[in-house]
Amino acid sequence: MTTEPVTIEIVSDMVCPWCWIGKRRLDSALEQLPDIAVERVWRPYMLNPDMPAEGMDRDSYLAAKFGAERLPRLHEPLAEIGRQEGIPFDFHAIRKMPSSLDAHRLARWARSAGVQPAVIEDLFSRYFEKGEDISDPVVLLDVAEQAGMDAAIVAELLAGDQDSDLVRREDDLARRIGVTGVPTYVINQKWAVVGAQPAESWLEILRRVAAGEDLSAG
């Protein structure tokens, strides 16, 4: 086994339900591989990069995207998959489709503070389980504080435009290198894995990488 840690860059968005499913599945695999050191780094991808700062009504957004006739049963398959992964999706609680720009800014600062995984999980939970507005500075400050970040510093950063352009550039870079859907995982800057892979797939992938195998070899 290699002694070098495995780095997984996770390109995702906090308003993407499959990204939360993917996180939980990867979490499950990592719990079963305590001897493999894995560093996870979340990278921004905005499903709605042109979403106004105030967001929009979520039902209107979904109706425009999928058709109003599909709304009543749109989330049933996802809700069932969520139950299998221990995720209590409550899609009816979500009233707003927010801009995720500030949530991505917070996630970036959380990495510097060493609490990025906890912040990411809390953002997913607040949006998909509790229906909270994760573009609201009050919500984001509470997420930061619960994770042990300095709320005063985060409040000051959120009040300005710190790292907004950087998040947008990273989002644009992801699109330019070929990311068209999330979650997308980049392993050791060599291999890309697309989609919310089952935990069993991650077990095989991580064991192979830790053993020094070339994933591109099949």
Side-chain angles (χ1 to χ4, degrees), residues 174-187:
R175 297 171 196 277
R176 286 191 284 111
I177 65 174
V179 175
T180 58
V182 287
T184 292
Y185 307 84
V186 180
I187 303 172

Side-chain angles (χ1 to χ4, degrees), residues 126-147:
R126 286 175 186 254
Y127 184 63
F128 285 113
E129 182 182 355
K130 302 169 186 174
E132 295 185 15
D133 178 3
I134 59 170
S135 67
D136 185 340
V138 174
V139 172
L140 294 174
L141 282 173
D142 192 51
V143 170
E145 194 166 24
Q146 292 299 317

Side-chain angles (χ1 to χ4, degrees), residues 51-74:
M51 180 67 67
E54 66 274 15
M56 65 181 296
D57 176 75
R58 190 165 186 268
D59 284 348
S60 298
Y61 167 84
L62 293 174
K65 187 172 184 178
F66 299 107
E69 69 281 357
R70 294 185 59 188
L71 289 187
R73 306 179 68 86
L74 181 65

